[in-house]
Amino acid sequence: MPSLSHIPAYPFAIPLPQPHQYILVPPCPTTSPLPAPAPSLQAPHPLPTLLSFRWALWFFKNDKSKMWQANLRLVTKFSTVEDFWALYTHIQLASKLTSGCDYSLFKDGIEPMWEDSQNKRGGRWLITLAKQQRHTELDRFWLETLLCLIGEMFDEYSDEVCGAVINIRAKGDKIAIWTREAENREGVTHIGRVESWAPPPFSLRRIYKEHLGLSQKVAIGYQAHADTATKSGSLTKNKFVV
């Protein structure tokens, strides 16, 4: 007969050879009661922090043997704070990209090109950096810009923001925030406003420029995409300047 030393300290049914017949085995008197299970020390897994918009990261590498759109690649999409940081910490820093490359972060459903229906009537706030700033300030400026976007620093005008682009160029790198409607003066000039009392166009200067740590002597210009697309020279006329 098999040993009953393995029987736990609570009654349970053992099947007999005959079908549909069971006997109830009492607890073994020599067995100590089972201890109560220890409480779990593992903290519950926190819920992800959802962003108000889903965002898409794009990468552009200039290959002159291909059409422009063929050089543009969608990297991934994210909609939580945790996924943003996981992405940012696993991609190459902007300062390490080769000349001719771009990163673009746009709301899901908007492609980083002038021709997109949600961009074609818009424009961009543009910051042009000196060559020496690539290895000292570029990555910080770009990260702060990304945080402005996903953190909705633009308050009620967040819907006007389409995305942001960083261009790595030999003559000087550029960072731009793209907006939806270039003719929406109030929306354009108020982007970045946190204090409701800040009058345009100084709101962007007070908030975005200070957020980046830029000198107030540094001018940020707003250019309409339509003007940029049809420019005949190397410079596009600024529609607004702060």
Side-chain angles (χ1 to χ4, degrees):
M1 179 176 180
S3 171
L4 299 180
S5 60
H6 66 286
I7 298 176
Y10 52 85
F12 71 106
I14 296 180
L16 294 177
Q18 295 81 3
H20 311 301
Q21 296 185 27
Y22 296 86
I23 62 172
L24 195 62
V25 179
C28 179
T30 60
T31 304
S32 301
L34 292 176
S40 175
L41 299 179
Q42 184 176 3
H45 194 280
L47 295 176
T49 308
L50 291 175
L51 301 170
S52 296
F53 298 98
R54 192 182 190 197
W55 296 88
L57 180 70
W58 300 77
F59 176 70
F60 177 87
K61 184 175 183 180
N62 190 22
D63 183 345
K64 295 182 179 180
S65 66
K66 300 179 181 179
M67 298 293 290
W68 187 90
Q69 291 189 2
N71 290 324
L72 185 64
R73 291 286 184 269
L74 174 64
V75 178
T76 190
K77 300 179 181 181
F78 62 89
S79 57
T80 70
V81 172
E82 293 79 7
D83 286 345
F84 165 75
W85 285 114
L87 170 64
Y88 184 81
T89 56
H90 283 84
I91 61 174
Q92 197 169 34
L93 292 173
S95 62
K96 303 299 182 182
L97 298 178
T98 58
S99 182
C101 292
D102 302 340
Y103 276 143
S104 301
L105 185 72
F106 275 69
K107 290 174 181 174
D108 187 23
I110 306 178
E111 295 187 351
M113 56 184 67
W114 300 330
E115 296 84 359
D116 189 283
S117 61
Q118 298 189 66
N119 291 328
K120 63 182 181 180
R121 294 186 300 273
R124 60 178 182 172
W125 283 109
L126 181 65
I127 303 173
T128 301
L129 303 176
K131 292 182 180 180
Q132 60 269 25
Q133 290 180 285
R134 177 178 299 179
H135 301 293
T136 58
E137 297 176 300
L138 179 68
D139 292 327
R140 181 176 66 84
F141 288 170
W142 177 236
L143 176 58
E144 293 289 354
T145 301
L146 298 180
L147 295 178
C148 285
L149 264 63
I150 69 171
E152 292 188 78
M153 196 189 76
F154 310 105
D155 298 325
E156 66 268 30
Y157 296 101
S158 291
D159 286 342
E160 285 293 311
V161 176
C162 296
V165 181
I166 185 169
N167 310 120
I168 306 302
R169 301 293 185 266
K171 294 182 179 181
D173 305 320
K174 300 177 181 180
I175 296 176
I177 294 179
W178 288 29
T179 68
R180 191 182 305 274
E181 293 286 345
E183 297 303 322
N184 182 359
R185 180 185 178 87
E186 180 179 359
V188 168
T189 57
H190 278 70
I191 281 181
R193 184 179 69 174
V194 173
E195 296 95 347
S196 59
W197 50 264
F202 300 107
S203 55
L204 179 63
R205 183 175 69 188
R206 289 179 180 176
I207 305 305
Y208 185 52
K209 291 176 70 172
E210 287 183 5
H211 201 68
L212 298 184
L214 294 175
S215 167
Q216 297 303 318
K217 296 180 180 179
V218 176
I220 300 179
Y222 184 85
Q223 303 171 351
H225 294 321
D227 294 338
T228 305
T230 58
K231 67 180 181 180
S232 57
S234 58
L235 297 176
T236 300
K237 183 179 179 180
N238 291 323
K239 196 174 184 69
F240 309 110
V241 177
V242 297

